Amino acid sequence: MRPSLLSFPTAMAGLLVLAGCAPKPSAPQPSSSASAVAWSQNGWSDAERAEYHHLAEGSELIPYALLKNVVSSKTGKPFLDNMERFGFIPDAASPTDNPHGLPVGVTTVHSRDKSHTGLEMAGFNCAACHVGEVTYRGKKLLIDGAPSLVNLQSYQVEFKDSLDATLRSPAKAVALAIAMDRDLHAGEAQPSGDTSSYASDPAAKTAGDVAAAPTADKNFHSVSSQTADAAGPSASLQGKTFPARVHEYLALLKARLAYLKNGKLLLDGTEPGPGRVDAFGAARNLLFPKDHMKMQSPVSFPFIWDVPDTTQQRSGTDTVWIHYDGNTNSILERNIGQAIGMGAVFDPKTYESTLRIENLHKLEVLTHKLQAPKWPADIFGSIDQTKATAGEKTFNDTCRGCHQNRLYPLTDAGTDPQRANSFGQSVAGGVPFPAAVKPILDSLKARAFLDDGISTADQAAMDANPVIWRATGEYLARPLTGVWATAPYLHNGSVPTLWHLLHPAQRPAKFIVGNREYDPAKVGYSTDGSGWTFDTSQPGNSNIGHTGDKYGTNLTEDQKAALLEYLKTI
């Protein structure tokens, strides 16, 4: 009922809003519900969960020492307060995996950037988009591998606007740099007297003069992950005077704002809202800005249990495809693209980067351990086994045969065609996007292997061979294990519940997304309450298709009710 697999650069822009300096901030505190929440036990130990939630993949978006000292220009509060406003899930501090108590999917790592080796940088990983949360009558359940409801565009806009406003105020920019220096040089003598004079420094006065620039930086050079991890967080600043350090902090801020301004094309088109992204549209516009297009193919973050292990594929005859349109067999290259989209820096000529290639593979290995979550009867109520038994026959007769990781033409599925049709559109002088992006990903991967000393044998175990990128113009129908936990439905999230999927005439033209309250009867999120309004009239948002005898929409009401009950069991 939901053709899918893995979104590409699952978050195509910056992290965490910057605005001004907050007085003596402390590490963010998760809400009280974070420690009492129930987790769906679907394959990971507590240690594996903690690792997946915060293992850095190479995203280096902003220095953490800077991040912790800023406030949001929109809320007027420390930015890290109430990250739930963007749909992030709070998480408790852990000395090994999450020392700063950051939300699920937010990471910190020592920088591989040679210009500031070892500096602690904040970024994202897969968990930001692939850990779900549902509530029901005051109870909360978190589900590893389920789609999240993070609103990436909302946070990106606030981040860009806030950072821009900060740099346009020399006093705010300098205050932020001083706070960062205080954290990085704790215990050392700080400048005495009035530091406001630094606001008249030309570097501060021109800090807001920032032109758009990609994270593809021709002046970038990296060190190995091992070298970065061994360096202290202020190693690159040792021996430098305070004014020189302020200049470096301001330069870092300007570089991050330039990246965000380069992402202006990400905002042109259909608004994705919570739990969705037009990942390949973003990739096209960031990598090939001269061939930019309106982004009108947003898709839901997919669930990631039952993702096929493609690393042992060695011929075209045993290929298993991923993504909504089955466009590649390489999870590793898909994840490299994700890391670049989320702030990993690279040189477009040498392909040096801040990627953490071993960590990317670890995240993939952990993904393969996930299993479909079980229906939480203690929260949602028990399953009617008599109905479910009757529904199993209907499922076997109507649904199972299609949902076997098979591709189907648009004329068959009848769902919104934007995503299937957009991937193969040409860039770079008429080259189809798959052919244009493959050598970039291949080269980033090869250089990351080289820089971190990955042996040939280990490289072979990390990816399919050959790696294929292609445009199919079709949609992939996945097995429906755990489908109850993957709302909203269809590839673009245009149908709020499975009940609505089986009742096409009742599919709402507009409905609320972002409300985590679950509807056990209709199997999906409640469409009441506050949140973002999904408008099916917008390009890429249509809720058409998946109708007729073969899709179960002509079943009797009793048969549909039994089918819904069975879908809770798988």
Side-chain angles (χ1 to χ4, degrees):
M1 303 208 176
R2 175 209 284 272
S4 63
L5 271 188
L6 302 178
S7 54
F8 182 65
T10 301
M12 289 307 291
L15 172 71
L16 310 182
V17 178
L18 303 179
C21 185
K24 296 183 179 180
S26 59
Q29 296 299 310
S31 63
S32 59
S33 60
S35 59
V37 71
W39 283 95
S40 179
Q41 301 300 316
N42 57 318
W44 287 341
S45 66
D46 289 344
E48 289 170 332
R49 176 181 294 115
E51 182 175 38
Y52 188 89
H53 287 182
H54 298 287
L55 185 64
E57 59 183 30
S59 170
E60 296 190 8
L61 290 163
I62 206 73
Y64 175 73
L66 181 61
L67 174 62
K68 68 170 288 191
N69 286 288
V70 298
V71 299
S72 164
S73 61
K74 187 172 183 178
T75 68
K77 298 178 180 180
F79 175 72
L80 288 176
D81 282 4
N82 187 32
M83 285 289 285
E84 294 97 315
R85 71 189 186 276
F86 299 120
F88 289 99
I89 297 172
D91 201 6
S94 161
T96 53
D97 298 293
N98 190 24
H100 305 300
L102 295 171
V104 170
V106 182
T107 65
T108 57
V109 70
H110 287 203
S111 179
R112 290 190 58 197
D113 191 323
K114 194 172 184 178
S115 68
H116 47 264
T117 301
L119 185 65
E120 189 176 26
M121 302 292 288
F124 272 158
N125 77 357
C126 309
C129 301
H130 299 294
V131 176
E133 177 183 328
V134 296
T135 62
Y136 186 63
R137 297 181 178 178
K139 297 181 180 180
K140 183 183 294 185
L141 177 71
L142 286 97
I143 308 169
D144 288 313
S148 80
L149 289 177
V150 166
N151 190 332
L152 295 172
Q153 180 161 305
S154 176
Y155 106 78
Q156 178 199 358
V157 171
E158 189 173 330
F159 179 31
K160 179 182 71 67
D161 291 348
S162 300
L163 181 54
D164 195 16
T166 299
L167 293 187
R168 290 184 183 279
S169 168
K172 285 185 178 181
V174 169
L176 209 52
I178 292 172
M180 180 179 179
D181 192 72
R182 185 188 308 119
D183 280 342
L184 288 173
H185 295 83
E188 298 181 16
Q190 297 294 313
S192 58
D194 185 7
T195 58
S196 62
S197 60
Y198 288 102
S200 61
D201 187 293
K205 294 176 71 173
T206 61
D209 300 332
V210 178
T215 50
D217 182 357
K218 64 182 180 180
N219 298 313
F220 169 80
H221 294 289
S222 65
V223 299
S224 69
S225 297
Q226 297 89 333
T227 299
D229 290 340
S234 59
S236 63
L237 302 169
Q238 293 299 321
K240 294 186 178 181
T241 65
F242 176 75
R245 297 199 301 266
V246 169
H247 283 195
E248 290 214 14
Y249 303 143
L250 292 174
L252 271 174
L253 277 171
K254 293 179 70 171
R256 265 41 191 187
L257 180 57
Y259 167 56
L260 288 175
K261 287 189 172 183
N262 187 62
K264 64 184 180 297
L265 295 174
L266 307 185
L267 308 180
D268 183 16
T270 300
E271 184 178 356
R276 298 200 310 166
V277 67
D278 184 355
F280 287 111
R284 178 187 295 105
N285 289 353
L286 287 174
L287 294 173
F288 306 101
K290 293 182 179 179
D291 301 286
H292 74 271
M293 299 169 55
K294 283 191 173 184
M295 294 173 56
Q296 297 180 333
S297 306
V299 296
S300 294
F301 304 144
F303 62 92
I304 58 171
W305 52 82
D306 294 346
V307 169
D309 184 351
T310 66
T311 58
Q312 300 308 306
Q313 295 178 15
R314 295 295 179 265
S315 73
T317 59
D318 62 350
T319 302
V320 179
W321 305 99
I322 63 171
H323 289 144
Y324 281 107
D325 57 343
N327 61 11
T328 187
N329 64 335
S330 176
I331 295 175
L332 183 61
E333 289 200 0
R334 173 261 172 213
N335 287 343
I336 288 171
Q338 170 186 292
I340 295 297
M342 292 196 292
V345 185
F346 70 102
D347 182 328
K349 291 187 177 180
T350 67
Y351 295 100
E352 292 178 81
S353 73
T354 60
L355 289 169
R356 298 278 179 148
I357 196 76
E358 286 188 289
N359 287 0
L360 285 167
H361 181 61
K362 285 181 182 178
L363 290 166
E364 181 180 344
V365 170
L366 285 171
T367 296
H368 294 315
K369 291 187 174 185
L370 280 176
Q371 302 164 3
K374 301 298 183 183
W375 177 264
D378 56 330
I379 297 176
F380 295 161
S382 59
I383 295 171
D384 185 326
Q385 294 298 334
T386 301
K387 272 189 179 181
T389 299
E392 182 176 11
K393 183 180 187 306
T394 300
F395 178 82
N396 289 337
D397 293 342
T398 308
C399 311
R400 189 184 298 276
C402 291
H403 284 275
Q404 298 291 334
N405 282 331
R406 294 175 183 168
L407 285 164
Y408 290 90
L410 298 177
T411 53
D412 192 339
T415 51
D416 190 293
Q418 288 286 112
R419 171 63 182 83
N421 287 336
S422 64
F423 183 69
Q425 292 177 345
S426 297
V427 296
V431 179
F433 180 70
V437 76
K438 184 181 186 302
I440 297 174
L441 297 174
D442 287 347
S443 298
L444 285 165
K445 178 175 65 176
R447 183 60 191 249
F449 282 148
L450 175 66
D451 287 349
D452 279 354
I454 309 300
S455 69
T456 302
D458 286 341
Q459 290 179 37
M462 289 184 181
D463 207 356
N465 187 11
V467 168
I468 302 169
W469 287 90
R470 63 178 189 170
T472 66
E474 298 180 328
Y475 285 129
L476 187 73
R478 291 179 69 183
L480 295 177
T481 52
V483 68
W484 66 266
T486 67
Y489 297 97
L490 296 183
H491 69 279
N492 58 2
S494 60
V495 179
T497 72
L498 289 178
W499 184 91
H500 288 101
L501 193 65
L502 292 173
H503 295 82
Q506 303 300 315
R507 296 175 188 175
K510 294 182 179 180
F511 61 95
I512 295 297
V513 178
N515 175 13
R516 291 191 170 103
E517 188 70 6
Y518 198 79
D519 185 337
K522 292 186 175 179
V523 192
Y525 287 113
S526 170
T527 57
D528 299 327
S530 61
W532 177 80
T533 300
F534 191 112
D535 184 354
T536 61
S537 70
Q538 295 301 302
N541 281 2
S542 174
N543 61 10
I544 60 173
H546 206 276
T547 58
D549 288 340
K550 67 183 297 183
Y551 295 104
T553 59
N554 293 336
L555 295 168
T556 67
E557 287 305 306
D558 285 345
Q559 288 174 317
K560 290 178 181 179
L563 177 58
L564 288 178
E565 205 69 10
Y566 175 70
L567 290 172
K568 300 174 184 179
T569 72
I570 60 175

